[in-house]
Amino acid sequence: MQLPRCPTPLFLGLFIALSVVIPCTSSYAETPSKMIHAIVQMSGTDISTDSFFAKPKIFWRASNQYCRVDEEPDPKNGIHGRLIMNEPDAWLINSADNTAKHVLDRGPTFNCKLPIFAMDEQMATSKIGELEIGRELDFFHANGAKLIECPKLQFEANCYELGIADSVLRLVERVEIHAPILIGLAQGGLAQGGLAQGGKLYQARYLLWEEAPFKADLFAQPTGVKIEESK
């Protein structure tokens, strides 16, 4: 699915999520019974702690058909972003002015994606971009991640490390709920236990990760907004 570029960079992550597809086809014969609900806060190189990008985002996902992202308000730029994907339909919504853009995915693939590390389009379309909200542990296991020693925590945890090209990914899993609580990306690799010179470090901290009953209304066409059809 190819989209026009957004006039402000604050919707970049949402447009990336819409623009990326995976090379397979999907069938939605059955409505899912469960969904993943997560709240994630990003930090790291080039992300100021008081910036919009450091604010938590709320994610919902059910199968490859239903995805949703809610951002916090950004009064400075007049944006309160929300992305709803119910393949093949998607809506980019600005609740600040009650407007929305509708995009119809014309295929041949129909898969919504929620890349965790999408600092730019190049990263989102790389192997690292295949690491998605709701698919975190699957990605690490499928790509041969190794167990490493965890720091001392107040709960039982598994820690995984995975090298991809010149980058290193690490995930901390809370064992009792089989959920990620922290994922780190060292872009440029590690050296003697620290970040390699010239490298960049990003972290996705999970404030919430839970499996919940599927709610179809979360992924329905938005109401109360003026919808523009994407050309």
Side-chain angles (χ1 to χ4, degrees), residues 98-120:
N98 294 320
T99 60
K101 178 168 288 189
H102 173 239
V103 179
L104 181 64
D105 189 348
R106 302 187 184 281
T109 57
F110 300 98
N111 301 278
C112 64
K113 295 198 72 178
L114 294 175
I116 296 171
F117 297 108
M119 308 311 171
D120 53 47

Side-chain angles (χ1 to χ4, degrees), residues 78-181:
I79 294 175
H80 187 185
R82 172 176 295 164
L83 170 64
I84 297 174
M85 289 181 277
N86 185 338
E87 287 284 0
D89 295 288
W91 296 272
L92 251 172
I93 304 150
N94 184 2
S95 298
D97 62 5
N98 294 320
T99 60
K101 178 168 288 189
H102 173 239
V103 179
L104 181 64
D105 189 348
R106 302 187 184 281
T109 57
F110 300 98
N111 301 278
C112 64
K113 295 198 72 178
L114 294 175
I116 296 171
F117 297 108
M119 308 311 171
D120 53 47
E121 193 165 357
Q122 181 179 0
M123 183 184 292
T125 55
S126 70
K127 183 68 175 180
I128 290 172
E130 296 177 17
L131 173 58
E132 299 182 54
I133 299 290
R135 303 286 187 267
E136 299 91 345
L137 286 164
D138 291 344
F139 177 86
F140 273 76
H141 292 318
N143 287 281
K146 62 181 181 181
L147 277 168
I148 61 173
E149 185 177 354
C150 282
K152 188 174 181 180
L153 300 170
Q154 295 179 339
F155 49 83
E156 185 181 358
N158 287 328
C159 294
Y160 300 91
E161 182 175 281
L162 175 62
I164 296 178
D166 67 342
S167 297
V168 176
L169 287 162
R170 286 181 174 173
L171 181 148
V172 180
E173 173 197 13
R174 186 162 182 162
V175 172
E176 64 188 81
I177 56 175
H178 302 291
I181 61 170

Side-chain angles (χ1 to χ4, degrees), residues 25-45:
T25 58
S26 297
S27 174
Y28 307 124
E30 297 182 3
T31 300
S33 61
K34 296 182 179 180
M35 63 183 181
I36 299 300
H37 176 209
I39 302 176
V40 182
Q41 187 167 21
M42 299 297 298
S43 63
T45 309

